[in-house]
Amino acid sequence: MLFPYGPPVSRSASRHSPSTQSSAAASDLGYAAFVERNSPRYLRYATIRLPVDEKRAVVVTAVLSAARERWGFILSQPSPAAEVWQDLRRRVTELVERTASPAPEVSALYERFGDGLADSVVLCCRLGLDVDEAADLMGADPPTVTASLAVAQRALPNLTFRRHLSR
């Protein structure tokens, strides 16, 4: 696992009922699965937008650590993936504003379009994710990502991306 965040060890676990312990274990497993699935893609996204290797890993680690601390709240939201994605985008954008981008054309996308549209283009055009995978990562609906890509395609006709929808 790229980011080995284990479940916190609770000294008071013996005071909780078995059902509370099993809920906590399920939550810990859910978080571990979320990290296992998303951390490599988060790192790829950070790599496209950030110039310094150390900052890429640091920002992804910070986002996932913050998610671990807020995991119960995140799970109560309509789209847990969107909650974490927004934090990742915010932190990456803050770092981009203080450093030079490794890809000026990517910076131009974020300057020209809104974050959601630019994220859709980066994920589908630069990282090669299909629409469903990009939508899943951002906590968006596939039609929203498809619409964003259509707008970008009209504005930038030379864009190429995978339109394949997974089944």
Side-chain angles (χ1 to χ4, degrees):
M1 179 165 37
L2 183 59
F3 297 98
Y5 304 107
V9 177
S10 173
R11 295 171 200 224
S12 61
S14 62
R15 293 185 293 192
H16 297 293
S17 69
S19 65
T20 303
Q21 289 175 351
S22 64
S23 290
S27 177
D28 291 341
L29 284 173
Y31 173 76
F34 182 86
V35 169
E36 186 74 29
R37 183 164 193 246
N38 292 314
S39 62
R41 298 184 300 178
Y42 287 172
L43 189 57
R44 288 178 60 209
Y45 170 79
T47 298
I48 292 288
R49 298 212 45 215
L50 295 170
V52 181
D53 287 338
E54 301 83 45
K55 291 192 183 220
R56 296 169 185 161
V58 168
V59 74
V60 172
T61 298
V63 166
L64 293 173
S65 292
R68 180 67 190 113
E69 295 299 318
R70 301 175 40 231
W71 192 242
F73 170 78
I74 288 170
L75 289 177
S76 73
Q77 298 307 297
S79 175
E83 282 291 315
V84 180
W85 182 260
Q86 289 169 9
D87 186 30
L88 176 66
R89 180 197 304 136
R90 179 186 56 77
R91 290 175 192 244
V92 166
T93 299
E94 287 172 359
L95 286 172
V96 166
E97 290 171 355
R98 294 187 294 228
T99 61
S101 173
E105 66 278 7
V106 171
S107 293
L109 280 172
Y110 284 89
E111 290 170 10
R112 182 171 184 171
F113 302 117
D115 288 339
L117 192 147
D119 285 345
S120 295
V121 172
V122 166
L123 293 175
C124 294
C125 297
R126 294 296 298 255
L127 297 182
L129 303 183
D130 66 36
V131 169
D132 285 349
E133 189 177 7
D136 178 62
L137 188 64
M138 294 187 295
D141 295 323
T144 301
V145 174
T146 300
S148 294
L149 293 173
V151 168
Q153 186 73 48
R154 280 192 296 278
L156 306 167
N158 293 330
L159 278 180
T160 57
F161 51 88
R162 293 173 59 188
R163 290 183 183 259
H164 175 274
L165 296 176
S166 60
R167 297 176 200 258

